[in-house]
Structures are given as C-alpha cells and as structure tokens.
Amino acid sequence: MIFDIITIFPDYYKTPLKFGVIGKAIENKIVEVHIHNLRDYSNNKHRQIDDRPFGGGSGMVFMVEPIYNALKFIKKTDSKVILLSPTGKKFNQKMAKKLSMDKNLVFISPRYEGVDERVKEFVDMEISIGDYIITGGDAAVLVLIEAISRHIKGVVGKEESVINESFETELLDYPQYTQPRDFMGRKVPEVLLSGNHKLIDEWRKQKSIEITKNKRPDLIKGN
Ligand SMILES: C[S@@+](CC[C@H](N)C(=O)[O-])C[C@H]1O[C@@H](n2cnc3c(N)ncnc32)[C@H](O)[C@@H]1O
C-alpha cells in the first residue's frame, strides 16, 4: 500500500510514523508513505496556497489550483483520492477494511476553514473521523493510516489479534487481564486461570455481549 499525503505541514508526520506496527510496516516496506508539501505546487512566487473566502467570513480557504497541480503530479491510474473533511462520510472499521484493499490512497489534508468547494470535483471520497472539529486534516490522516494499515497482511503480527478486535463483529472486545493475579484484592476472574479454553471462550463471548449491551447498544442489530 502506498499512502500519499498532501499537507502544508510535512514535518508533522516525521515522528509518529516511526513507532509501533506502522513504523515496522514502513521499515519492512509493506507500507510506503510519501509526504508532499502543498506549497511546492503553488504557481505563486510566495508559495501561497490559500486565500480569503469570497463572500466574506473569517479564516482562509485552501485554493483549488495548488491541490489540482499536486494531484496531477501524484495521482496514478489506481489511486483513490480522499479529502479529510468534517462533512465527509463518518469513518468506521468497515471502511478501513475496504480501503485496505486499495493499492494507493492519496490524502488531502486541509487546515484553516477547509478547501474551495471545487476541490471536491477532483476527489473520490470525503471522510470525517467523527462529529467534532479538529484544527487540520493531519491528525485525521494518521488515524486513517493506522486503522487501514492494520488490515494489510503482515502489518499486525498475529492476524488473529485483528480478527478478535472490537467492531470486527457487532460486539465490543471482552475484558483482558494480566499479572498480577491479585491487585490489592482485585482478583482476575477464576475462569481465565482455569486452562479450560471452552469455558474461557464462553465467558469472553458473554462479557462481550454484556459490555456491548451496556456501552454501545447501537452496535447490536435489531436495536
Ligand atoms: C478547522 S477545520 C475546518 C472546519 C470547517 N470550517 C467546518 O466547520 O466544517 C480544518 C480542517 O481540519 C480537518 N478536520 C476537522 N475536523 C475533522 C473531522 N472531524 N474529520 C476529518 N477532518 C477534519 C478538515 O480537513 C478541515 O478542512
């Protein structure tokens, strides 16, 4: 998978992509990330990429032309172009899995008041990471890269750990415990120490159902 990111803050990505499973996936060349500075695609000698909104109002708007120029240079025949936007389709696990099947995703990461509406004619999808506003698309791009990459073969060590995660079915994950067996009187449930895997599986399923009913009843079909 190749991720191309169009941003005005290329340095933003320097550190987070070095760590954890994503860092390893990049090191192992399962995932490639290319960062493109939008200012390099400005036709303006001041490398301007934004301007004031027509009709008035606060803030600045990313102009269509630099983004169009960047896409012309970056986009390949099998690329999917994604604009990060609060007005986009709300991101979820199903979308992450589907997008992990693409070969090349190009993310456009705006800031300030967002983009000129005409940019939307050159994108395949608009994605929102939730019903709230953050200052720019870059944090959202990192969320997408993390969530999508986990579904690419070889990124997560034990593939089983992706299969069992919350949102993979309509149930949330079951509770996990590790050492010590007793922390100030708070004991690990006996069943998990029993070595009886049939009983452990049943207990985990039951807990998943209870937790989902309690915390996210909306996930259960028919609710
Ligand atoms: C400050 S926001 C602009 C908000 C915009 N004026 C509005 O009210 O919808 C700047 C940029 O951050 C990104 N952004 C903010 N919230 C987001 C979200 N929930 N999902 C995805 N991107 C978001 C988008 O790229 C957006 O254009």
Side-chain angles (χ1 to χ4, degrees):
M1 165 72 86
I2 299 175
F3 294 114
D4 285 286
I5 306 167
I6 303 172
T7 176
I8 58 164
F9 293 139
D11 287 352
Y12 186 95
Y13 296 89
K14 272 192 179 161
T15 309
L17 294 173
K18 283 188 184 158
F19 295 103
V21 290
I22 306 302
K24 274 262 147 49
I26 293 172
E27 220 175 278
N28 295 336
K29 302 196 173 1
I30 302 169
V31 166
E32 266 180 51
V33 180
H34 302 294
I35 317 280
H36 308 271
N37 189 340
L38 182 60
R39 294 193 189 280
D40 293 342
Y41 297 93
S42 165
N43 290 334
N44 183 297
K45 68 173 178 193
H46 303 294
R47 292 162 58 84
Q48 185 185 351
I49 49 82
D50 56 354
D51 213 327
R52 286 192 293 275
F54 282 124
S58 62
M60 299 293 271
V61 176
F62 275 29
M63 295 186 288
V64 60
E65 197 177 15
I67 294 177
Y68 176 80
N69 293 342
L71 289 176
K72 216 161 84 180
F73 182 76
I74 295 161
K75 229 182 112 171
K76 295 177 262 305
T77 43
D78 54 1
S79 301
K80 186 170 280 167
V81 180
I82 296 171
L83 173 69
L84 279 306
S85 162
T87 59
K89 190 168 175 201
K90 207 185 319 171
F91 191 57
N92 61 25
Q93 184 81 337
K94 208 166 146 193
M95 286 159 78
K97 204 182 265 186
K98 195 154 177 235
L99 289 170
S100 74
M101 288 163 196
D102 277 277
K103 294 245 176 324
N104 175 217
L105 298 176
V106 181
F107 297 120
I108 304 170
S109 169
R111 293 235 157 208
Y112 316 132
E113 287 309 311
V115 295
D116 184 307
E117 190 64 18
R118 291 165 290 184
V119 167
K120 297 178 184 172
E121 289 176 40
F122 305 105
V123 309
D124 298 300
M125 270 182 102
E126 281 179 71
I127 292 184
S128 160
I129 56 163
D131 294 343
Y132 46 83
I133 298 294
I134 55 177
T135 52
D138 299 296
V141 167
L142 288 178
V143 169
L144 262 64
I145 289 180
E146 289 255 352
I148 294 166
S149 298
R150 293 181 65 77
H151 297 285
I152 299 170
K153 201 169 178 333
V155 170
V156 174
K158 282 191 211 153
E159 280 168 74
E160 198 194 356
S161 60
V162 176
I163 292 163
N164 286 335
E165 276 172 341
S166 301
F167 308 115
E168 280 302 309
T169 62
E170 60 185 23
L171 297 177
L172 295 175
D173 202 4
Y174 48 76
Q176 304 275 12
Y177 294 86
T178 185
Q179 299 291 354
R181 290 176 179 223
D182 185 334
F183 178 67
M184 300 198 306
R186 293 157 178 88
K187 293 197 171 106
V188 173
E190 272 307 316
V191 63
L192 298 179
L193 310 173
S194 68
N196 184 331
H197 289 284
K198 187 168 175 286
L199 279 185
I200 293 172
D201 286 349
E202 280 169 15
W203 181 87
R204 285 178 165 166
K205 179 85 192 280
Q206 193 45 43
K207 283 290 165 191
S208 277
I209 294 169
E210 272 171 35
I211 288 169
T212 313
K213 276 188 177 162
N214 257 329
K215 295 186 175 170
R216 292 292 305 276
D218 56 296
L219 292 176
I220 300 173
K221 281 195 192 93
N223 273 6

